[in-house]
Amino acid sequence: MRRLRWGLSGASDIAATRIIPAMRRLGHQITGVSSATDVHAAEYAQQHDIPYHTSSFDLLLAREDVDAVYVSTINRLHCSQTLGAAAAGKHVLCEKPVALNLMDAWSMVRACEAAGVVFGVNHHLPCADTHREIRRLVAGGAVGQPLGVRVFHAVQLPERLATWRLTDPAAGAGVPLDITVHDAAVINRLLGQPVDAAALGARQGHWDAAVDDAIMSVIRYQGNVLAQTHDAFTVQYAGTGLEVHGTEGSIVAKDVMTQDPIGSVLLRDSGGERDLDIPGRRDLYEVALEAFAHAVEEAGEPAVTGTDGVRALAVALAVQEAASSGLRVPVVTEPAGRS
Ligand code: NDP
């Protein structure tokens, strides 16, 4: 696998807690970091032993020793920074949600295609060995024809992250763009084409949020398959889970909507119940970075492509609109003019 030289756009929590350690475990190099302010960029660079820092994204892009950019700024900046990176000929691994609207999101896919650079979106859940096993089971007919999916992804937002996600809609705040979009990256792979969504949201937390911090949604997929999600920043003790119920069996997976390589997968059918062995249990972010590096070598695709990221965004946007309008909202995945 090629060891990439990365520029980090965003002196972010996710880079500090997950991505920098995963890059280093894989032997990748971190060339530099850019952030909104010089002071934070400098502190962060020192804390994480990164040789170069700047408050100018353009200066980071101009460096010849950057092969690829990892974009983990606030959601509003994902589009402009991906377009900038593509124009500079850098490969892009962008955090989710890929953008704030579909037009921007498709423009990112097209710009990266035109520039001949790899574009991946960092949805970690499809990289989990538990999720790979669930996809394998569903594709292999273990549950027969899928009828319904239930996602349990209501968690407690750590205080250190209770900032722009809750307070700044212009930055891309809110549960749908933070959590539902991850659910969609999982469900789309299992069920295919989303059709429409209904949802209700609420404000439940102790904070002064500008957006709903809890949402339940129902999404209909092609073939009249229903998916339900419970996504929240306010629930401490529920645990997470994913269930797939079909004509011939059910998969019940516990603790699998997480950042860690944990959780169990149970299959129940006419033969009874069995807990499945999950081999590997690799770090989810390492799997994503490794697939991305292979894609740069033209040896495959990123674990979640730009197009996958746009389709996950389409579901999250429909859920967001459904919750705010009280209406059932069609999920539009294709850009205008494309079939
Ligand atoms: P943080 O709040 O920790 O970091 C956000 C970064 O954006 C900071 O470097 C901040 O700079 C920068 N920023 C803010 N405003 C501007 C601006 N106007 N111009 C330039 N830079 C700016 O974010 P998180 O780590 O919580 O989230 C970062 C991204 O990662 C989000 O898109 C989020 O959805 C995604 N994420 C993905 C996860 C996953 O598992 N895939 C998990 C968690 C987050 P400064 O600090 O200098 O102001």
Side-chain angles (χ1 to χ4, degrees):
M1 179 190 60
R2 177 153 162 212
R3 310 274 194 261
L4 295 171
R5 299 171 300 174
W6 289 92
L8 307 184
S9 170
S12 65
D13 187 83
I14 183 66
T17 53
R18 301 285 174 173
I19 298 295
I20 293 171
M23 285 175 174
R24 290 194 166 138
R25 283 194 299 270
L26 291 172
H28 291 205
Q29 182 184 316
I30 299 167
T31 300
V33 59
S34 68
S35 187
T37 59
D38 274 324
V39 173
H40 188 208
E43 274 173 14
Y44 193 91
Q46 191 191 25
Q47 209 175 3
H48 298 286
D49 200 17
I50 298 171
Y52 173 76
H53 63 83
T54 176
S55 57
S56 162
F57 179 59
D58 290 340
L59 285 181
L60 185 71
L61 282 185
R63 290 187 67 107
E64 284 185 7
D65 56 358
V66 168
D67 305 310
V69 176
Y70 167 62
V71 175
S72 68
T73 44
I74 52 171
N75 301 340
R76 173 172 61 78
L77 297 174
H78 293 179
C79 177
S80 58
Q81 295 193 336
T82 296
L83 297 181
K90 311 293 186 189
H91 305 287
V92 187
L93 180 61
C94 180
E95 268 305 340
K96 45 53 63 172
V98 62
L100 297 187
N101 62 66
L102 290 174
M103 202 191 293
D104 281 358
W106 281 118
S107 77
M108 295 156 78
V109 171
R110 284 194 284 260
C112 290
E113 272 172 14
V117 297
V118 172
F119 181 36
V121 182
N122 199 37
H123 284 290
H124 58 291
L125 292 171
C127 299
D129 287 307
T130 47
H131 285 269
R132 289 165 178 237
E133 177 64 10
I134 293 165
R135 288 201 298 274
R136 193 187 67 74
L137 288 168
V138 172
V143 299
Q145 172 63 40
L147 301 169
V149 166
R150 303 177 193 162
V151 176
F152 307 92
H153 206 165
V155 294
Q156 182 67 48
L157 185 69
E159 286 298 327
R160 71 176 197 282
L161 300 183
T163 56
W164 57 268
R165 268 180 185 72
L166 288 170
T167 57
D168 190 355
V175 168
L177 294 179
D178 206 58
I179 304 181
T180 315
V181 73
H182 277 311
D183 304 342
V186 168
I187 309 170
N188 289 354
R189 286 251 179 122
L190 291 171
L191 300 184
Q193 184 64 35
V195 178
D196 51 11
L200 285 176
R203 291 186 200 178
Q204 304 176 327
H206 60 82
W207 35 55
D208 190 16
V211 290
D212 289 341
D213 52 18
I215 289 193
M216 289 191 178
S217 76
V218 181
I219 306 145
R220 190 159 52 113
Y221 280 75
Q222 201 170 31
N224 273 328
V225 188
L226 296 175
Q228 71 178 45
T229 69
H230 178 197
D231 300 325
F233 293 146
T234 55
V235 179
Q236 182 107 40
Y237 300 110
T240 69
L242 170 67
E243 298 177 0
V244 185
H245 303 288
T247 51
E248 309 298 327
S250 284
I251 295 165
V252 177
K254 291 193 174 150
D255 296 327
V256 295
M257 306 300 285
T258 78
Q259 296 177 298
D260 294 311
I262 59 172
S264 60
V265 180
L266 176 143
L267 178 63
R268 185 185 300 131
D269 59 16
S270 58
E273 279 187 0
R274 43 266 170 233
D275 274 313
L276 299 171
D277 184 38
I278 307 295
R281 302 257 182 204
R282 292 199 56 201
D283 179 88
L284 286 61
Y285 298 89
E286 275 184 39
V287 172
L289 288 165
E290 204 171 77
F292 187 88
H294 283 309
V296 169
E297 286 179 316
E298 299 183 356
E301 287 196 317
V304 176
T305 64
T307 300
D308 296 332
V310 182
R311 297 205 161 119
L313 174 68
V315 173
L317 290 174
V319 166
Q320 181 167 265
E321 193 186 330
S324 62
S325 68
L327 301 172
R328 188 162 69 178
V329 175
V331 180
V332 178
T333 53
E334 299 308 312
R338 261 197 198 189
S339 57

